[in-house]
Amino acid sequence: NPAWHFDDSELTKPADRSYSQFRGYPEVEVRTGNTTNSYLGTPDEQTLTKTTYFLGMNGDILPGGGTRTATVSDSLGETVPDNDLFADTPREVQVFNGDGGARVSSEITDPVVLATTGSRARTGLPALTADIVATGRVRDLTDLAAGGVRTTSVSYGYDSLGRQTQQTDSGDGVPDMCTTTSYADGTTTWVRDKAAESVVSQQVCPAPGTTQAPILSDDRTYYDGSATLGAVTRGDVTRGDVATANTGGTLTWATTDRSEEHTSELQSHH
C-alpha cells in the first residue's frame, strides 16, 4: 500500500492540512524484457529487480497529536526506523534470475545522520532542520549456486563536516582493509575538500586518532608550494610523497611527481 504523510508544508493553511503528502510505495518491482518476443525460437529473458525504500513515515503526526512509529525491513529480517530524512532512499535492492526465479544478489544500505547543522521552530509543525546525511554501510550479498550467501561490506566514517575519513572493506574469507583520509584545511580561503594523506592498513578501521597497523600504503599530498602537510590556500597540488617501505612500523618516504602513480603497496621488512 502507498504511504500518505501529514502535510508539513508551511505554505498550507493549518486548517487545510491533511494526510496529502504521497510518499510512494515501500517496495517497487521492475521487470524488463518481453517474453512474447523471440529470436531463432528463443524467447527474450525477463529480469526482476525489487527495491525496498525508506518513505520517511516514522515520527509522522497522527490524529490527536501523537506520532507514528514506522520501520523498514530487509531480507535479513532486520528492521530500522523509517527516518524522514531518508525518504526516497533505497534500503535494499534485490536482483532475481528472471520473474519467479531465484534471487541472485542483494544490496542493503544503511544511511546515517551525521549532524544537524541548523534548526528553526515552526508553529504547529515539527522544527525545520538542516542535516548532514551520508551512507554508513553498504552490504552486498551474493547468492551462491551451491547454496549459502557470500557477503562483502563497506563501512564509512566521517568527520564533523561530513567529509569521509574512514572506509573499511570487509568480506567473507578475505582480510579487512582500512583506508583513512585526512584533509588540508584552508579556513581562510575555505578550501576544505582536498585530501592531504591517505593511509591503507590491513584491519578494521580503528577509532579516530588511533595509529593504523600494519600499514600497506601511505600517500601524502602538498598544496600551493607549502612544505607543511595539511596547509592549503588555492588547492593546487605541488608535491606528492609516497611511503616506499615499512620497516617495523617506520616508513621510508620518497617524493614523486604528481604525474607518477604513488599508491603502490609497501615493501615490508621485519
Side-chain angles (χ1 to χ4, degrees):
N1 295 325
W4 294 91
H5 192 280
F6 187 75
D7 187 352
D8 59 2
S9 171
E10 294 176 87
L11 301 179
T12 304
K13 294 180 179 180
D16 296 332
R17 289 177 186 146
S18 65
Y19 295 89
S20 57
Q21 283 188 356
F22 177 64
R23 289 297 182 96
Y25 290 84
E27 184 175 275
V28 176
E29 297 184 358
V30 176
R31 292 169 175 81
T32 61
N34 186 349
T35 56
T36 63
N37 294 331
S38 64
Y39 178 73
L40 298 179
T42 302
D44 289 350
E45 293 185 359
Q46 190 174 65
T47 64
L48 171 62
T49 301
K50 292 183 180 180
T51 303
T52 301
Y53 286 95
F54 289 95
L55 303 181
M57 296 300 293
N58 194 52
D60 187 23
I61 299 174
L62 292 174
T67 56
R68 186 189 313 273
T69 298
T71 59
V72 180
S73 301
D74 58 39
S75 62
L76 297 178
E78 303 168 335
T79 58
V80 293
D82 188 15
N83 194 320
D84 192 28
L85 296 175
F86 305 155
D88 298 328
T89 300
R91 166 61 174 170
E92 181 173 22
V93 179
Q94 299 181 80
V95 178
F96 293 83
N97 185 19
D99 191 7
R103 193 183 72 173
V104 175
S105 64
S106 173
E107 182 176 270
I108 300 174
T109 302
D110 297 304
V112 292
V113 180
L114 301 180
T116 297
T117 58
S119 179
R120 177 171 63 82
R122 302 187 295 175
T123 302
L125 292 171
L128 184 66
T129 62
D131 304 272
I132 301 176
V133 178
T135 299
R137 179 175 60 165
V138 177
R139 287 171 288 174
D140 287 296
L141 286 63
T142 301
D143 295 88
L144 306 176
V149 177
R150 182 176 65 243
T151 302
T152 61
S153 68
V154 184
S155 299
Y156 302 94
Y158 303 86
D159 64 14
S160 60
L161 299 178
R163 299 178 297 189
Q164 183 182 318
T165 56
Q166 293 186 332
Q167 176 176 320
T168 297
D169 292 84
S170 304
D172 295 338
V174 296
D176 297 315
M177 302 294 288
C178 170
T179 303
T180 61
T181 304
S182 60
Y183 293 86
D185 265 324
T187 55
T188 299
T189 56
W190 294 107
V191 177
R192 311 197 72 180
D193 62 345
K194 302 297 183 181
E197 184 171 21
S198 178
V199 182
V200 178
S201 57
Q202 186 173 308
Q203 62 182 142
V204 173
C205 283
T210 304
T211 302
Q212 293 170 243
I215 293 177
L216 303 181
S217 68
D218 195 336
D219 185 12
R220 294 177 175 175
T221 303
Y222 296 81
Y223 297 93
D224 307 313
S226 174
T228 301
L229 187 67
V232 63
T233 52
R234 298 181 306 274
D236 296 329
V237 176
T238 51
R239 173 181 151 196
D241 286 1
V242 59
T244 57
N246 183 350
T247 306
T250 300
L251 303 182
T252 301
W253 293 92
T255 298
T256 66
D257 183 89
R258 287 300 297 179
S259 63
E260 299 174 5
E261 181 63 47
H262 55 279
T263 57
S264 58
E265 186 171 316
L266 303 180
Q267 300 176 9
S268 294
H269 302 282
H270 303 282

